[in-house]
Coordinates of all heavy atoms in Angstrom, one line a residue:
H277 N -2.8 -23.5 4.6 CA -1.4 -23.6 4.4 C -0.7 -23.6 5.7 O -0.2 -22.6 6.2 CB -0.8 -22.4 3.5 CG -1.5 -22.3 2.2 ND1 -1.0 -23.1 1.1 CD2 -2.5 -21.5 1.7 CE1 -1.8 -22.8 0.0 NE2 -2.6 -21.9 0.3
P278 N -0.7 -24.8 6.4 CA 0.0 -24.9 7.7 C 1.4 -24.4 7.7 O 2.2 -24.6 6.8 CB -0.1 -26.4 8.0 CG -1.2 -26.9 7.1 CD -1.2 -26.1 5.9
G279 N 1.7 -23.6 8.7 CA 3.1 -23.0 8.9 C 3.1 -21.6 8.4 O 4.1 -20.9 8.7
T280 N 2.0 -21.1 7.8 CA 2.0 -19.7 7.3 C 1.3 -18.9 8.4 O 0.3 -19.3 9.0 CB 1.1 -19.6 6.0 OG1 1.7 -20.5 5.0 CG2 1.1 -18.2 5.5
I281 N 1.9 -17.7 8.6 CA 1.3 -16.7 9.6 C 0.8 -15.5 8.8 O 1.6 -15.0 8.0 CB 2.3 -16.3 10.6 CG1 3.0 -17.5 11.3 CG2 1.6 -15.4 11.7 CD1 4.1 -17.2 12.2
A282 N -0.4 -15.1 9.0 CA -0.9 -14.0 8.2 C -1.6 -13.0 9.0 O -2.2 -13.3 10.1 CB -1.9 -14.5 7.1
V283 N -1.6 -11.7 8.6 CA -2.3 -10.6 9.3 C -3.0 -9.8 8.3 O -2.6 -9.7 7.1 CB -1.3 -9.7 10.2 CG1 -0.7 -10.6 11.3 CG2 -0.3 -9.1 9.3
F284 N -4.0 -9.1 8.8 CA -4.8 -8.2 7.9 C -4.8 -6.8 8.5 O -5.2 -6.5 9.6 CB -6.3 -8.7 7.9 CG -7.2 -7.7 7.1 CD1 -7.1 -7.6 5.8 CD2 -8.1 -7.0 7.8 CE1 -8.0 -6.7 5.1 CE2 -9.0 -6.1 7.2 CZ -8.9 -6.0 5.8
G285 N -4.3 -5.8 7.7 CA -4.2 -4.4 8.1 C -5.6 -3.7 7.8 O -6.0 -3.7 6.7
R286 N -6.2 -3.2 8.9 CA -7.5 -2.5 8.8 C -7.3 -1.1 8.4 O -7.5 -0.1 9.1 CB -8.2 -2.7 10.1 CG -8.5 -4.2 10.4 CD -9.0 -4.3 11.9 NE -10.2 -3.7 12.1 CZ -11.4 -4.2 11.9 NH1 -11.5 -5.5 11.5 NH2 -12.5 -3.6 12.1
V287 N -6.8 -0.9 7.1 CA -6.5 0.5 6.7 C -7.8 1.4 6.6 O -7.7 2.6 6.9 CB -5.8 0.4 5.3 CG1 -5.5 1.8 4.7 CG2 -4.5 -0.4 5.4
Y288 N -8.9 0.8 6.1 CA -10.1 1.6 5.9 C -10.5 2.2 7.3 O -10.7 3.4 7.3 CB -11.2 0.7 5.4 CG -12.5 1.4 5.1 CD1 -12.8 1.9 3.9 CD2 -13.5 1.6 6.1 CE1 -14.0 2.5 3.6 CE2 -14.7 2.2 5.9 CZ -14.9 2.7 4.6 OH -16.1 3.3 4.4
E289 N -10.6 1.4 8.3 CA -11.1 1.9 9.6 C -10.1 2.9 10.2 O -10.5 3.9 10.8 CB -11.2 0.7 10.5 CG -12.4 -0.3 10.2 CD -12.0 -1.3 9.1 OE1 -10.8 -1.2 8.6 OE2 -12.8 -2.1 8.7
T290 N -8.8 2.7 10.0 CA -7.8 3.6 10.5 C -7.9 4.9 9.9 O -7.9 6.0 10.6 CB -6.4 3.0 10.4 OG1 -6.4 1.6 10.9 CG2 -5.4 3.8 11.0
I291 N -8.0 5.0 8.6 CA -8.1 6.2 7.9 C -9.4 7.0 8.2 O -9.4 8.2 8.4 CB -8.0 6.0 6.3 CG1 -6.6 5.5 5.9 CG2 -8.2 7.3 5.6 CD1 -5.4 6.4 6.2
Q292 N -10.4 6.2 8.3 CA -11.7 6.9 8.7 C -11.7 7.4 10.1 O -12.3 8.4 10.4 CB -12.9 5.9 8.6 CG -13.2 5.4 7.1 CD -13.8 6.6 6.3 OE1 -13.2 7.6 6.2 NE2 -14.9 6.3 5.7
T293 N -10.9 6.9 11.0 CA -10.7 7.4 12.3 C -10.0 8.8 12.2 O -10.4 9.8 12.9 CB -9.8 6.5 13.2 OG1 -10.5 5.3 13.4 CG2 -9.6 7.1 14.6
Y294 N -9.0 8.9 11.3 CA -8.3 10.2 11.1 C -9.3 11.2 10.6 O -9.2 12.4 10.9 CB -7.1 10.0 10.2 CG -6.1 9.0 10.6 CD1 -5.2 8.4 9.6 CD2 -5.9 8.6 11.9 CE1 -4.3 7.5 10.0 CE2 -4.9 7.7 12.3 CZ -4.1 7.1 11.3 OH -3.2 6.2 11.6
R295 N -10.1 10.8 9.7 CA -11.1 11.7 9.0 C -12.1 12.1 10.1 O -12.6 13.3 10.0 CB -11.8 11.0 7.9 CG -10.9 10.8 6.6 CD -11.7 10.0 5.5 NE -13.0 10.5 5.4 CZ -13.4 11.6 4.7 NH1 -12.5 12.4 4.2 NH2 -14.6 12.0 4.7
A296 N -12.5 11.3 11.0 CA -13.5 11.6 12.0 C -13.0 12.5 13.1 O -13.8 13.3 13.6 CB -14.1 10.3 12.6
H297 N -11.7 12.4 13.3 CA -11.1 13.2 14.4 C -9.9 13.9 14.0 O -8.8 13.6 14.5 CB -10.9 12.3 15.6 CG -12.0 11.5 16.1 ND1 -13.1 12.0 16.8 CD2 -12.3 10.2 15.9 CE1 -14.0 11.1 17.0 NE2 -13.6 10.0 16.5
P298 N -9.9 14.7 13.0 CA -8.7 15.3 12.3 C -7.8 16.0 13.3 O -6.6 15.8 13.3 CB -9.3 16.2 11.2 CG -10.7 16.5 11.6 CD -11.2 15.3 12.3
T299 N -8.4 16.9 14.2 CA -7.5 17.7 15.0 C -6.8 16.8 16.0 O -5.7 17.2 16.5 CB -8.4 18.7 15.8 OG1 -9.4 18.1 16.5 CG2 -9.0 19.7 14.8
H300 N -7.3 15.7 16.4 CA -6.6 14.8 17.4 C -5.4 14.3 16.8 O -4.4 13.9 17.5 CB -7.6 13.6 17.7 CG -8.7 14.0 18.6 ND1 -8.6 14.9 19.7 CD2 -10.0 13.6 18.7 CE1 -9.7 15.0 20.3 NE2 -10.6 14.2 19.7
Y301 N -5.3 14.2 15.4 CA -4.2 13.6 14.8 C -3.3 14.7 14.1 O -2.4 14.4 13.3 CB -4.6 12.5 13.8 CG -5.3 11.4 14.5 CD1 -6.7 11.3 14.6 CD2 -4.5 10.3 15.0 CE1 -7.2 10.2 15.3 CE2 -5.1 9.3 15.6 CZ -6.5 9.2 15.8 OH -7.0 8.2 16.5
G302 N -3.7 15.9 14.3 CA -2.9 17.0 13.8 C -3.2 17.4 12.3 O -2.4 18.1 11.7
F303 N -4.4 17.0 11.8 CA -4.7 17.4 10.5 C -5.6 18.6 10.5 O -6.5 18.8 11.3 CB -5.5 16.2 9.8 CG -4.7 15.0 9.5 CD1 -4.9 13.8 10.1 CD2 -3.6 15.1 8.6 CE1 -4.1 12.7 9.9 CE2 -2.8 14.0 8.3 CZ -3.1 12.8 9.0
V304 N -5.4 19.5 9.5 CA -6.2 20.7 9.3 C -7.2 20.4 8.2 O -8.3 20.9 8.2 CB -5.3 21.9 8.9 CG1 -6.2 23.1 8.5 CG2 -4.4 22.3 10.1
D305 N -6.8 19.5 7.2 CA -7.7 19.3 6.1 C -7.6 17.8 5.8 O -6.6 17.2 5.5 CB -7.3 20.1 4.9 CG -8.3 20.1 3.8 OD1 -8.9 19.0 3.5 OD2 -8.6 21.2 3.2
V306 N -8.8 17.1 5.8 CA -8.9 15.7 5.5 C -9.7 15.4 4.2 O -10.1 14.3 3.9 CB -9.4 14.9 6.7 CG1 -8.5 14.9 7.9 CG2 -10.8 15.3 7.0
E307 N -10.0 16.5 3.5 CA -10.8 16.4 2.3 C -10.1 16.7 1.0 O -10.1 15.9 0.1 CB -12.0 17.3 2.4 CG -13.0 17.0 3.6 CD -13.7 15.7 3.5 OE1 -13.8 15.2 2.4 OE2 -14.1 15.2 4.6
K308 N -9.3 17.8 1.0 CA -8.7 18.2 -0.2 C -7.3 17.7 -0.3 O -6.6 17.4 0.7 CB -8.7 19.7 -0.3 CG -10.1 20.4 -0.3 CD -10.1 21.8 -0.6 CE -9.4 22.6 0.5 NZ -10.1 22.6 1.7
A309 N -6.8 17.7 -1.5 CA -5.4 17.3 -1.8 C -4.5 18.5 -1.5 O -4.8 19.7 -1.8 CB -5.2 16.9 -3.2
C310 N -3.3 18.2 -0.9 CA -2.3 19.3 -0.6 C -1.8 19.8 -2.0 O -1.6 21.0 -2.1 CB -1.2 18.7 0.2 SG 0.3 19.8 0.2
C311 N -1.6 18.9 -2.9 CA -1.0 19.3 -4.2 C -1.9 18.8 -5.3 O -2.3 17.6 -5.5 CB 0.3 18.6 -4.3 SG 1.2 19.0 -5.8
G312 N -2.4 19.8 -6.1 CA -3.3 19.5 -7.2 C -4.0 20.7 -7.7 O -3.5 21.9 -7.4
Y313 N -5.2 20.6 -8.3 CA -5.9 21.7 -8.7 C -7.4 21.3 -9.0 O -7.7 20.1 -9.3 CB -5.3 22.3 -10.0 CG -6.0 23.6 -10.5 CD1 -5.8 24.8 -9.8 CD2 -6.9 23.6 -11.5 CE1 -6.4 26.0 -10.1 CE2 -7.5 24.8 -11.9 CZ -7.3 26.0 -11.2 OH -7.9 27.1 -11.6
G314 N -8.3 22.3 -8.9 CA -9.7 22.0 -9.2 C -10.4 21.7 -8.0 O -10.0 21.8 -6.8
K315 N -11.6 21.1 -8.1 CA -12.4 20.7 -7.0 C -11.7 19.7 -6.2 O -11.2 18.7 -6.7 CB -13.8 20.1 -7.5 CG -14.6 21.1 -8.3 CD -15.8 20.5 -8.9 CE -16.6 21.4 -9.8 NZ -17.8 20.8 -10.5
L316 N -11.6 20.0 -4.9 CA -10.9 19.2 -3.9 C -9.4 19.0 -4.2 O -8.8 18.2 -3.6 CB -11.6 17.8 -3.8 CG -13.1 17.7 -3.4 CD1 -13.6 16.3 -3.4 CD2 -13.3 18.3 -2.0

Side-chain angles (χ1 to χ4, degrees):
H277 299 280
T280 302
I281 309 172
V283 297
F284 174 72
R286 299 168 63 89
V287 175
Y288 182 95
E289 293 81 0
T290 305
I291 296 294
Q292 291 293 53
T293 298
Y294 303 157
R295 286 177 44 78
H297 308 284
T299 56
H300 288 322
Y301 295 94
F303 292 116
V304 173
D305 195 315
V306 295
E307 299 294 336
K308 298 190 296 293
C310 165
C311 183
Y313 186 73
K315 297 173 183 176
L316 302 176

